[in-house]
C-alpha cells in the first residue's frame, strides 16, 4: 500500500516470506531510491519522489551438499539439503579430513555454476534442485629404499609413509662413506621425480610407489710414479673402488740405488 514518508529520510522496511518461499531482495521503480541493504529482509530505504518498493520472493531450490568418499572431509553448508534462492551465489567450502586432500567440486546438474571448482572455498549458483559434491583424495603410500642395502639413509626414512596424492614430497639421500648417488628411480611410471640425479629433490605420486636411491661405490684414480734413481713395475694409473686394494705395483731401484719409501700426495705412506 501507499505510505507518506519524509523525502530523503531513511525508512525502515521489512519483508517476511510466506511458507515455502524465500526473500530474494528489494527493488524500486525509481533509480533515486537508496536501500541500506538490498538483499536484507530488514533494511532501510530512502526516497525523494513517489516510489514503489517491491519485496521479491522466490520458491527455493534445494542445494544438496555431499562429500566423496564419506570419510574424506566435511562441507559448509554441512552435508545435507539446504533451500536456497535460485540464481543467487551461495558460499561453499570444503575441509579435508586428516590424510585426505581436496580434489575439486562437481555438480549433478549442468545448470550449476561453480565459480572455481578447484578451490576449497568458492561459490555455487543453482536454478534447480542440485547436488554439489566435495571430492577428496585418499593418501597414497610412498616407500623409500636404497640400493645396495646399507649404502645410505633417506629422508623420509627408509620404509613406508602415507603422503598426499599428486603433491610434491621433499626427498633426500645421505650416502654412507665411500658411496655416491647414481640416481633416483621409481617402480611406477606415474611417479614424477623432479631431478633424478640430485641428492635433494621432490617426488609426486598418485598411487602406492617405491622410490629408490641407487648408490654406487666411489671410484678413485691412483697414479704411481718413481722418483729419480728408479722406476715402477705394474699398472699405473689404476681406477679402484673405494675401500678396495690396488693391483700390485713394485718399486725397482736403478743400479746403485736402494728403495727408501713411498709417499702419498707428499706425505709418508706405508
Amino acid at each position: 500500500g501507499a505510505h507518506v514518508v519524509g523525502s530523503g529520510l531513511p525508512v525502515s522496511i521489512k519483508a517476511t516470506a510466506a511458507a515455502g518461499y524465500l526473500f530474494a531482495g528489494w527493488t524500486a521503480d525509481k533509480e533515486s531510491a537508496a536501500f541500506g541493504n538490498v538483499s536484507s529482509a530488514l533494511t532501510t530505504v530512502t526516497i525523494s519522489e513517489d516510489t514503489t518498493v517491491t519485496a521479491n520472493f522466490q520458491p527455493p531450490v534445494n542445494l544438496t551438499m555431499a562429500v566423496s568418499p564419506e570419510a574424506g572431509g566435511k562441507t559448509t553448508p554441512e552435508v545435507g539439503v539446504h533451500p536456497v534462492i535460485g540464481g543467487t551465489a551461495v558460499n561453499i567450502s570444503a575441509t579435508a579430513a586428516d590424510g585426505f586432500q581436496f580434489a575439486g567440486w562437481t555438480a549433478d546438474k549442468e545448470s550449476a555454476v561453480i565459480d572455481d571448482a578447484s578451490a576449497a572455498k568458492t561459490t555455487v549458483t543453482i536454478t534447480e534442485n542440485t547436488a554439489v559434491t566435495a571430492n577428496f583424495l585418499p593418501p597414497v603410500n610412498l616407500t623409500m629404499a636404497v640400493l645396495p642395502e646399507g649404502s645410505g639413509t633417506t629422508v623420509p626414512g627408509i620404509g613406508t609413509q602415507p603422503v598426499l596424492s599428486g603433491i610434491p614430497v621433499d626427498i633426500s639421500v645421505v650416502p654412507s662413506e665411500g658411496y655416491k648417488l647414481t640416481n633416483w628411480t621409481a617402480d611406477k611410471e606415474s611417479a614424477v621425480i623432479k631431478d633424478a640425479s640430485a641428492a635433494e629433490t621432490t617426488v609426486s605420486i598418485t598411487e602406492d610407489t617405491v622410490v629408490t636411491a641407487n648408490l654406487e661405490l666411489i671410484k678413485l684414480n691412483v697414479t704411481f710414479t718413481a722418483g729419480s734413481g728408479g722406476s715402477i713395475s705394474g699398472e699405473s694409473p689404476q681406477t679402484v673402488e673405494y675401500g678396495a686394494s690396488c693391483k700390485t705395483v713394485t718399486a725397482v731401484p736403478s743400479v746403485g740405488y736402494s728403495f727408501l719409501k713411498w709417499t702419498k700426495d707428499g706425505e709418508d705412506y706405508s
Side-chain angles (χ1 to χ4, degrees):
H3 305 272
V4 177
V5 298
S7 176
L9 298 177
V11 178
S12 295
I13 54 175
K14 179 181 179 181
T16 302
Y21 284 83
L22 294 174
F23 175 69
W26 297 97
T27 54
D29 67 342
K30 300 291 172 62
E31 292 183 1
S32 58
F35 292 97
N37 185 345
V38 72
S39 61
S40 174
L42 177 61
T43 187
T44 62
V45 65
T46 303
I47 61 173
S48 56
E49 57 185 319
D50 292 345
T51 304
T52 299
V53 173
T54 302
N56 301 284
F57 299 91
Q58 287 185 1
V61 290
N62 287 327
L63 170 64
T64 301
M65 300 295 292
V67 297
S68 179
E70 290 186 1
K74 60 184 181 180
T75 63
T76 302
E78 65 184 14
V79 171
V81 180
H82 306 271
V84 299
I85 298 171
T88 299
V90 178
N91 292 320
I92 57 175
S93 64
T95 303
D98 288 344
F100 286 79
Q101 68 183 101
F102 176 68
W105 297 97
T106 53
D108 68 343
K109 300 291 173 61
E110 292 185 1
S111 58
V113 178
I114 300 173
D115 183 57
D116 185 348
S118 62
K121 292 183 179 181
T122 187
T123 63
V124 64
T125 304
I126 63 174
T127 55
E128 57 185 320
N129 294 340
T130 304
V132 174
T133 301
N135 300 285
F136 299 92
L137 289 175
V140 291
N141 289 322
L142 170 64
T143 300
M144 301 293 293
V146 295
L147 284 177
E149 291 185 8
S151 59
T153 58
T154 62
V155 177
I158 293 171
T160 301
Q161 43 270 315
V163 299
L164 296 178
S165 175
I167 302 300
V169 178
D170 291 327
I171 58 174
S172 62
V173 62
V174 178
S176 299
E177 184 178 355
Y179 285 87
K180 67 176 183 178
L181 176 69
T182 301
N183 64 354
W184 294 94
T185 54
D187 68 340
K188 300 292 172 59
E189 292 185 1
S190 58
V192 178
I193 300 173
K194 184 177 181 180
D195 186 348
S197 62
E200 296 183 3
T201 186
T202 63
V203 64
S204 302
I205 63 174
T206 55
E207 56 185 321
D208 293 348
T209 303
V210 178
V211 174
T212 302
N214 300 288
L215 304 170
E216 63 178 346
L217 282 168
I218 296 170
K219 291 181 172 60
L220 304 172
N221 293 319
V222 183
T223 302
F224 295 88
T225 59
S228 59
S231 62
I232 61 168
S233 174
E235 182 180 337
S236 180
Q238 298 181 27
T239 300
V240 185
E241 287 187 340
Y242 185 93
S245 298
C246 297
K247 297 176 183 177
T248 300
V249 173
T250 304
V252 181
S254 300
V255 176
Y257 286 83
S258 63
F259 174 73
L260 178 62
K261 61 182 178 181
W262 292 100
T263 60
K264 174 185 174 184
D265 297 330
E267 302 288 336
D268 288 352
Y269 180 79
S270 60

